Amino acid sequence: MVEVTVHHDTVVFTVRGLHKVLAFKSELTVPRSHIIGVRHDPTAAQRLEGLRAGGTSVPGLVKAGTFYLDHQASHKPMFVDVGNAANLLVIDLRDEEYQQLIIEVEDPVAAEALLATSG
C-alpha cells in the first residue's frame, strides 16, 4: 500500500510495510505539475501483464515494483504496487522516470480528490 502526501508543489508517494521490500522502492517524489491525470480504476489491475524490471509478482496476491506493461505504447516503465484492486489509483505522469503509477491506497476517492485539488 502507498500513502500519498502533498508538500507544497511536490507529491510524495510512500510505500508502506512489506511492500517496500517487494517493490524495491520506499518512496517516489513527483512535482505536482508532472501529474497529468488521476483516477480511481479497480479494473486497471486486470491490465498488469508485462515484463517485471525489478520487484515482485505473485499472481492473485501482489504485484509491486517496476514493470513494462504489454498494453502501453510508451517505452517507459510503470511503478506498480497492488494487493487489493478495489483501492487502485492510476496516476498519469509526464517528464518522469515512470509513465504511470498504478498503486493501492487506503482511500482512493480521498487520494484522488487530494491530487485533483492540490495543483
Side-chain angles (χ1 to χ4, degrees):
M1 182 169 307
V2 176
E3 180 181 315
V4 180
T5 53
V6 176
H7 300 282
H8 304 289
D9 294 334
T10 303
V11 181
V12 178
F13 300 91
T14 306
V15 182
R16 294 289 179 201
L18 180 62
H19 284 232
K20 284 190 262 189
V21 175
L22 299 175
F24 298 172
K25 193 168 288 282
S26 61
E27 187 175 277
L28 296 158
T29 302
V30 176
R32 176 65 188 97
S33 62
H34 291 190
I35 297 174
I36 57 174
V38 179
R39 64 191 174 283
H40 174 219
D41 184 2
T43 65
Q46 299 168 6
R47 300 182 304 273
L48 295 179
E49 296 302 319
L51 176 65
R52 179 177 41 151
T56 304
S57 180
V58 179
L61 187 59
V62 67
K63 188 170 281 221
T66 301
F67 291 81
Y68 291 88
L69 301 180
D70 293 342
H71 70 280
Q72 295 293 355
S74 169
H75 296 292
K76 292 178 84 172
M78 314 297 152
F79 178 77
V80 177
D81 185 9
V82 178
N84 178 1
N87 292 337
L88 201 62
L89 196 65
V90 178
I91 301 156
D92 299 310
L93 303 172
R94 68 174 170 85
D95 301 328
E96 288 294 322
E97 173 186 1
Y98 296 106
Q99 178 180 334
Q100 280 184 330
L101 308 179
I102 303 171
I103 56 174
E104 175 189 351
V105 296
E106 186 173 345
D107 184 342
V109 174
E112 182 178 16
L114 174 68
L115 294 174
T117 60
S118 65

